Amino acid sequence: MEDFAIIESGFSNADETINFGTRAIGHDSLYEISTIACFKCSEDNTGVAEVVLNSLVNNGKYTVYFYNSFKERVSIHSKSGSDDIEVNSEEMYDFGYILQQSTFSYPLLFVNGSEAETLFDDVLTMDDNNGNKQIVAVTRKNEQGESFLQLLNSDFSVVFSLKLSHPIHIIQLENASYETLIISKIFNNGVITELRAQCVCETEPELRLARLIKKQRFEEAEKFAKTFNMDPGVISKARAQIYVDKTDITSEDTEILISILETVDDDLFKLQCCSNVECYNSEDARRILTYGSKIMPKGQGSNKENAMLLQSLIVNTLFKFDTYMAVHSSYDSETWCRFVNSDLLEEMKNQLENFRIEEAIIICSRLDPETLERLTEDKIGEIMSILNNLPITIYQPFLPTFIPVAMSRHGSSVLPVFITWLQSKIFQLEKRDNYNFPEYGIKFAEFILKLLKVESDTCLSLQRQCTINMEGLDLLAALMEALKALQKLKTDFKINISLAEYLAGPKNVIRTLLNIVMAPEDYDHFLKEFLYKFMIQNHFEPDEIFLKEIKDLIKYDEAYWVNIVESILKYISSIKIKLEAVKEILENAQVPWCETIKKIGTVALQYSHPLVAGIKDILENEPRLVVLRNPKYKIKEKQITTVSELQYLVKRIVYINEPSMIDDIYQLCKTPRERVEASIILVQHFIRRNNFEEAMKVLDNNTKEDLFQCTKWLCSYAEVSINNTTSLHKLRDNYYNIAGSLFSRLVQCCDSELDAKRYEDDLRTLRGVYNINKHFQRCVTTDHLSSPFQKTKLLNELIDEAVNITEKGTSDITNILGLCDKLATYLSLDKDDILLKYCQKIAKFDVILESAEHLYKSECSPKNLCLAAVLLLRYVGTTYDMTPFSDSFNDSSCDGFLLPSNASDVFQSSEDSNNNFILGIKLAQSIVRKALVTVDADHLPEVIEVMNWVDSCFYLTRYQENPVEAELFKQIYHSEHTVPGVSAFSAVRNMIVTYVDFGQLVHEISTLPALVDTLCREGQQMTAYKLLVTFENALGQIKNLDPAVVKPLNVIISKRCLPQLLHAVVSAKHIDLSLFHNLLLACQKDYFKYVKHYLKLYKRQPRKLRDIALVGIQLLDYHKVIADARDTLVDAVLSCKYWNKLKADISNSIPYDVFFKMTCAPRLKQLIRLNAVDVGMICDYCNDYNLDVQAYYMEYLKSSFVNWKPRYEVKIDIDGKRNLILKKDEHSLHIQCQEIIDVIKDKEAAFALMNKIWDVANFYHYEVFICILKILSNNGRVEATRNSDMPMLIFLKSYRRFSSPSQSEKEQWYTVFPDSQSLDPLSEFRLPFIQMLFTYDIWNIIRPEINLKSYRCWFNAVNILRKNLKKDDICIYAVKDVMVHFKVTSGILGENTGTWVLYPKFEDLFAEVDECLQHISDLERATSVVYHLMYHTPDGADKVNAAQLSFKYAKKYKETHPNSPDVEKAFVKVKNKYYSFSAMHILHIFQLTDNKYIQLVAQPEDLIDALYMDDKILKQADSVDLSCPDINKAVDAIAELFGMQIRQIRYNLLTRWLTISSTDIDFDSTTTVIFPGVAKTSNIGDDNLKRATYLCSSEKSFWQPYVLKVGLNDDNPGDSEHNNFAFKAKALKCFCAISNIETITRLTEGSYKDILNYIDKLSLLSELECLGIALNIETLDQYNKKDLLKRLSQIGKPAAFKVMAIICKTYVIKDLRYWEYIINNTVKLGMAWQVIVDDAFNLPNNLSGETLYEAYVNNFLMIQSCPVLYSLNFEKIIQKCIEAEKFEFAAILLLYLPEKTREIYVKDVLRSRTISLDLDNLSKSGVWGIRKLM
């Protein structure tokens, strides 16, 4: 630095010209250059050619760098205001390019170097105090060689321009507050010899003073000010500014600062100082801010306005400071500076993100208005997003503060944000804590809903937002409803479903809930208490829903839904739909049905509906369905409509051949015909399989009728199979083997013996066909054997074949007999006939002889015996063929026949031939004798004739001398030769004489009893008898027989043998009457002793008794004995006769002993009573017993009527109902009685008898009365009084009884039939046919029968019983039946529980009642009965339906009597009831059942007024009230019910509410005055305007144009109300409240803001009008607002100040003078808050605990948002809290008391043992500061 070694400084500005020559002064003389230092070369240094300078100023220090030729850096450090200079040097590196100056500051870049041309020689930039750029530049020399130093603004406008005398270097300054510094280069002889440090300063003293102050040269400034007589206040400001600019000032600095500020008169400066100062501790900061907040700016102009704004800012800063201190436990200047400059919204978000909820609450509760302006919906959304990431227990206390703040800022426009967030939050709660859901969800939602409210002054905005966001509110309402429903489901029914499922829609909820599996009783309770009501509340038709749900359910597994549908069906009120559901269930349920399904179907049968028949068919078809749905059979389910379809299914089942095949097949059968068809197929199946036992089981399992049909068809099929020789051999064999069983059952089923015989013949024929074809290789059919000609032809052919076979071989009689037996069996012929025919064909005597012996030994008919004898005679002793002869007894060819023409050869034959001849003749005689014994009387002559011929041949052949004579006189019979039997007896005589002596004979006689006994034991009574007779006769032929022999013989025979034979004959199964008769004859006089003995012995065996008695009568007649004994025997015979005829019918009624002991007359009467005889038998009986038949005909006629009993069966239907099915009607009785009358001679007596029978006949046997009437009618004997009897009987016969017999009916029965132990069984099904039916007492019988199901049946009886039975009575009793059931059994309508039921259960029932009432001609009675029905109907929708029905008939009745006062009175009564019940039902539907409304149901106008005055409307206007009922819809329903003009009513109400004067309500905050630092307080809103707005929301499309027209219309000057400004303003407010912005814009053709501004002006005009200033919109706009404000200020009323504020707000008047005036005339800030807080705790004493707690929470939230929180006195409030035992609230207030005062109340607060728990609960309500207490 040797170049510039001399430094000079301290120059005076005034001596600038003297020291350095001419001053450099700007063109405007405001700036000049003055020298502050010089750098000169030493004397030995001539200077330097060039020097490079770089410099800067930092913290008031100037640093200059000199770059000389030695490349050194020279630093000159000079402190401002000081002459000290420090010089340093440092070697630098040479880049070969000299950068003289460069600077960059957007948007300018300046470079000044040695190698570039520039606009300026030197340039730099710097910031001014306002943040703008300024440029300091040295211009290039102009043409005159002049260069200027210029200060330019960023737009290059010149601040100053100074002409330079020397080249300069500009020094970079920190900012524009410093003087511009330059270094001038003084050249001398081309070299720089001096550098001068110069500055640019102002020429004016004031500016220079300011510059001194800026340099903090206060003493110099004070002197300067004093020198120039300037204001020293500027210096005080500068001094104060020093403290303000300090980083941290101490308490002492604070005191100094405040004292300095007290000397300053500039309020704006003072406020700026208070705003900018940074204090070291919180107390100093609060003192400074409090000092600044108390400064009241004075003066006028913009400074005052700025001061006012700054003062407001300081107030807000003080408020923010309190917030900061509440957030932070200690004060830190850095954090405070950051906090005060921070965005509180961001700060609040940070606190939330860091889980510092209480701090966030504090910030939120104390947001200033400016910050609230930035609390946009997007910001709110961001905050809610943060909350979503926090646990609900953490952030819940934040919400009571945040939501009201957001609502107060944005009104209800943020409602959708909170609604959306709440919905998402509820879903999160469900996911995170499903166990406690929805309890927590409900609490949280209710908690949030309480916060969604606004102050009264913005309630209409809320209403508008609710209107705009109706969809969101509906979703929110649905959410709340869903939560409560889920809670009820969970708590009451243990059902858990997700919220998403519930919100998916009622249909989905219903479907889900219906599918819940639970116990039937629980499910029933669930349907009743929840689901049914849920459907009604959601306006669903439960019946349709249930039906659809049942249809959906039955698609799934039955186990899933079987217990559900039964309960569901109970709640389907429509019978039609219920039956449809039952039908669906039955058709889709698994078969066999479980008991639940069966019960469902059975219960459905009790209804009276066309669908019941179909359900009954399905129930009856269940067994069939079991089979059709069996998967093994793989049958496609189908209806069986034809027999062919049934046969197909049966064959399919048979083909599968399951073990249950038989049962399954019979399950398919519903009718007897179907069962027959099935049985046939089954039997055929088993026959094919050769399983005859199973086939017979199938057959035997049928009824007699079905069995007959089956076997008949099967027998026919068997015939076809056996006839068909082409069919399978096995099949024919099977049918042959089972044919016997089939035909035996067919015969058993036959009622006719003729048919039975025919079927037996058919069986034999069928077997014959099979065997003939099988054994004889024939192809015959049953037709061949059915035709006598074909059968005879076949027989001849078969015999011929047999003869041929026999002739070729040996003629074994056994084979011949076997062959004949087979042919006889096959051809159903007598084997003896075939044997004889065979013998005739073969014509061989040996065969004939053996055959005759066989016939003789066997049981053979007399005819065949005679034919055999003739054949023997025909071929006896011959070996050659002879001409055959006829086998007829009466054949003429036998006349005169003795021996054949070749008889002579007999005597010429061999010895064998003679023996054969003798044997043949003897055998023939024996055969004929046997035929004589067995032949009946009718054919006795034929047998005797043959016997004569045989005897003739026998005797003639014995005495005929030669063949010629015999041939010539063969027809001559010589009877004198001997008599038949003589030869035999002679032979016996000769044998006895020859071989037996008398001793031996006596011995033989003594052995006769033993011989007889032996023969009797062997059953040879006849042989024994013949032996005795023969022996006795033989002995009688002996002449001179010794009496010693005869006498023992007689004794033995009479005493021993005859009794033996009698006992044997009588004890046999059948008595041989001829033998018995002969034996008794042999007993001579002792015969009757035996008769009596055997009568007594066999009196209990009617057949033997009869035979004994008959023989006894014959003997008495033979002996010509006339005695009483004969009458006894005759009586016994007749008794046996009738017993044998009647025993099958009477054996159970008349014991055998009683029958035989009874005399003839009583017995006949008894038989008549038993209906065991007919007319013919009575006639025979009377003839046999010689009784008066006519008398007994009359008795029979009477008994036929009195004792007749119908034949019937009781069939139990599928529903358990017993039905009567008659098997016997009056037709058979009529035929029987008419037959009796035909044989009665005295017809009149018979008719008279029938009239008497009328009173004693069983009155349940209608057929008896019908028969009597028919007979009398046919004979013209019906009395006129009985003309109605027949129609009545026919009606009763077709009627099925419903009720049990009444007591009077029972009494009458036992009166008529006193011996009866019980009523006739028919009383269950029939009404009694008694005289009471034809009197008015008929109702004693039929009243229980009359109901809604049966009344139509009795219409048929009305025409019969016109006098005593009328349609009106029938229908009335039918309707009354509903009420009777109600009284006795809680009624058809159910029990009246007193609860109003919202849904109808008995619509179908009332439809039936209506239909029944339409048959009543007397409208008065119809009206009366339905009116009483209404009274007995349970409360609810059904009662309304009953009242409607009553009103319907009351109107009809009134129309028929238009002028009757009584009718009018009754009509009004019914009408009032109908309207009252209907209106009450509407109130219950809309949950408006307060007593004050119920009492007005008959006064619709008053009721509508009362409904619109409901407080719920006001509550809904102030908050989101989801529980508010839809009163508009309720009013619509009431108006529709009463036929009222609802629009006119609403018009009147709207006009009234908009007209009534009240405090005006600010709208959308457009006219709300918010004083700085003062929170808004609630105003009393216009309740009528809220109601008007709610009313208009009922029909927006109608009311929007109306209220808009009213609000904008000025064309109706006559309507003072509508021209009222308040009226119009309110009308437009209603319009805005019920319209969205799009609607407002469209209808008004303007913007939303315009209409709001118009409303404000109308409100303002109304207020002005109240103050006596009458203006209109036009004049108001034109009126000078300052004059208007001045005029209002002169009024001096409080209302005037309010109007002034409104004017300033509406017309955006920012003149602070007016606001200052308004504020000064209101309560001071602190006092205002103290009054507000004190008044908030003046609570009523009757508040409930929950309400009181909520009020305290709200008050504390208000307190903690107070901007002067620490300036208020809370001692009174603490005392009130302690008195109310709200210790937790008192504890909170301790935070805001001075420390000394706080200690006074600590002990009182700590008295509460639950203080910690209470404070913890309080923290959840958004009250902050609790953490500091804990």
Side-chain angles (χ1 to χ4, degrees), residues 603-635:
V603 170
L605 297 180
Q606 67 181 338
Y607 298 105
S608 177
H609 195 275
L611 290 175
V612 173
I615 293 175
K616 187 174 183 181
D617 290 340
I618 296 174
L619 288 172
E620 293 174 348
N621 204 38
E622 183 219 359
R624 177 177 285 180
L625 293 175
V626 174
V627 180
L628 294 177
R629 296 180 184 176
N630 191 329
K632 296 180 180 179
Y633 297 138
K634 298 180 180 180
I635 298 173

Side-chain angles (χ1 to χ4, degrees), residues 33-100:
I33 298 175
S34 59
T35 303
I36 57 175
C38 291
F39 301 91
K40 298 179 180 180
C41 294
S42 59
E43 295 178 356
D44 57 352
N45 190 345
T46 59
V48 295
E50 186 59 69
V51 61
V52 177
L53 301 174
N54 284 314
S55 62
L56 60 85
V57 176
N58 186 18
N59 294 328
K61 293 182 178 181
Y62 300 95
T63 303
V64 181
Y65 298 89
F66 301 90
Y67 294 88
N68 57 17
S69 57
F70 300 102
K71 302 176 183 179
E72 291 180 339
R73 179 175 68 185
V74 180
S75 299
I76 300 175
H77 298 283
S78 174
K79 188 175 181 180
S80 177
S82 174
D83 294 334
D84 297 335
I85 297 175
E86 180 181 354
V87 179
N88 294 313
S89 63
E90 181 180 355
E91 184 178 359
M92 301 295 293
Y93 181 77
D94 186 7
F95 287 96
Y97 175 82
I98 297 175
L99 179 63
Q100 293 179 346

Side-chain angles (χ1 to χ4, degrees), residues 471-489:
E471 182 178 354
L473 287 176
D474 290 342
L475 292 175
L476 187 58
L479 180 66
M480 285 302 300
E481 179 188 350
L483 291 173
K484 293 177 180 178
L486 293 179
Q487 175 66 16
K488 184 175 181 65
L489 288 172

Side-chain angles (χ1 to χ4, degrees), residues 817-828:
L817 292 175
L819 174 63
C820 292
D821 285 342
K822 288 182 180 180
L823 290 176
T825 303
Y826 300 161
L827 298 175
S828 301

Side-chain angles (χ1 to χ4, degrees), residues 24-25 27 33 119-122 137-150 161-170 182:
I25 300 175
H27 296 294
I33 298 175
L119 297 175
F120 302 99
D121 287 335
D122 196 2
V138 178
T139 66
R140 290 179 63 83
K141 291 181 179 181
N142 56 19
E143 296 177 353
Q144 288 80 21
E146 296 174 340
S147 178
F148 297 91
L149 174 64
Q150 293 182 343
S161 180
L162 299 172
K163 184 178 179 180
L164 297 175
S165 301
H166 307 285
I168 67 171
H169 168 78
I170 303 173
I182 61 175

Side-chain angles (χ1 to χ4, degrees), residues 129 201 292 402 431 582 837 1111 1499 1594 1776 1788:
N129 291 328
C201 58
F402 175 68
K431 293 179 180 178
V582 171
K837 185 176 281 292
V1111 172
Q1499 305 167 38
S1594 62
K1776 286 184 178 182
I1788 296 296

Side-chain angles (χ1 to χ4, degrees), residues 648-665:
Y648 166 77
L649 295 176
V650 172
K651 291 177 182 178
R652 172 65 183 173
I653 296 173
V654 168
Y655 173 78
I656 300 299
N657 196 24
E658 285 292 319
S660 61
M661 172 183 65
I662 297 175
D663 293 335
D664 291 345
I665 287 175

Side-chain angles (χ1 to χ4, degrees), residues 516-727:
I516 296 296
V517 178
M518 60 176 70
E521 58 275 10
D522 295 336
Y523 196 82
D524 182 74
H525 175 68
F526 164 66
L527 286 176
K528 179 180 179 181
E529 298 299 329
F530 182 83
L531 189 55
Y532 202 100
K533 296 178 181 179
F534 176 80
M535 294 180 185
I536 297 299
Q537 291 168 359
N538 287 277
H539 309 291
F540 282 100
E541 179 57 45
D543 291 354
E544 296 293 341
I545 293 292
F546 282 142
L547 176 60
K548 184 178 183 301
E549 191 59 29
I550 287 175
K551 289 181 178 180
D552 293 339
L553 280 174
I554 57 181
K555 297 176 183 177
Y556 302 100
D557 184 61
E558 182 177 317
Y560 174 67
W561 55 262
V562 66
N563 292 324
I564 298 176
V565 294
E566 184 179 16
S567 298
I568 293 176
L569 287 172
K570 291 171 59 178
Y571 294 93
I572 298 180
S573 58
S574 171
I575 294 177
K576 178 178 179 294
I577 295 177
K578 180 178 290 188
L579 294 178
E580 288 178 358
V582 171
K583 188 175 180 182
E584 290 287 341
I585 292 170
L586 295 178
E587 288 178 346
N588 291 275
Q590 295 178 1
V591 288
W593 293 328
C594 63
E595 290 301 321
T596 302
I597 299 298
K598 289 180 180 178
K599 181 181 177 182
I600 289 171
T602 304
V603 170
L605 297 180
Q606 67 181 338
Y607 298 105
S608 177
H609 195 275
L611 290 175
V612 173
I615 293 175
K616 187 174 183 181
D617 290 340
I618 296 174
L619 288 172
E620 293 174 348
N621 204 38
E622 183 219 359
R624 177 177 285 180
L625 293 175
V626 174
V627 180
L628 294 177
R629 296 180 184 176
N630 191 329
K632 296 180 180 179
Y633 297 138
K634 298 180 180 180
I635 298 173
K636 184 177 181 181
E637 185 177 338
K638 57 185 294 186
Q639 293 292 331
I640 303 175
T641 57
T642 64
V643 175
S644 299
E645 292 175 348
L646 175 66
Q647 291 174 342
Y648 166 77
L649 295 176
V650 172
K651 291 177 182 178
R652 172 65 183 173
I653 296 173
V654 168
Y655 173 78
I656 300 299
N657 196 24
E658 285 292 319
S660 61
M661 172 183 65
I662 297 175
D663 293 335
D664 291 345
I665 287 175
Y666 282 129
Q667 297 288 14
L668 296 178
C669 304
K670 295 177 62 177
T671 64
R673 184 186 176 189
E674 292 177 348
R675 187 177 180 86
V676 168
E677 294 292 338
S679 298
I680 290 171
I681 296 174
L682 276 172
V683 173
Q684 286 179 320
H685 167 71
F686 289 121
I687 290 174
R688 284 193 295 269
R689 291 177 172 264
N690 206 28
N691 190 349
F692 303 140
E693 182 180 357
E694 196 65 34
M696 290 302 101
K697 286 183 180 178
V698 171
L699 273 180
D700 294 338
N701 197 30
N702 288 277
T703 62
K704 184 178 179 180
E705 293 80 3
D706 295 347
L707 178 61
F708 178 76
Q709 296 295 330
C710 290
T711 52
K712 185 178 180 181
W713 194 95
L714 289 168
C715 288
S716 300
Y717 192 81
E719 180 181 353
V720 172
S721 299
I722 293 174
N723 284 337
N724 185 9
T725 57
T726 61
S727 61

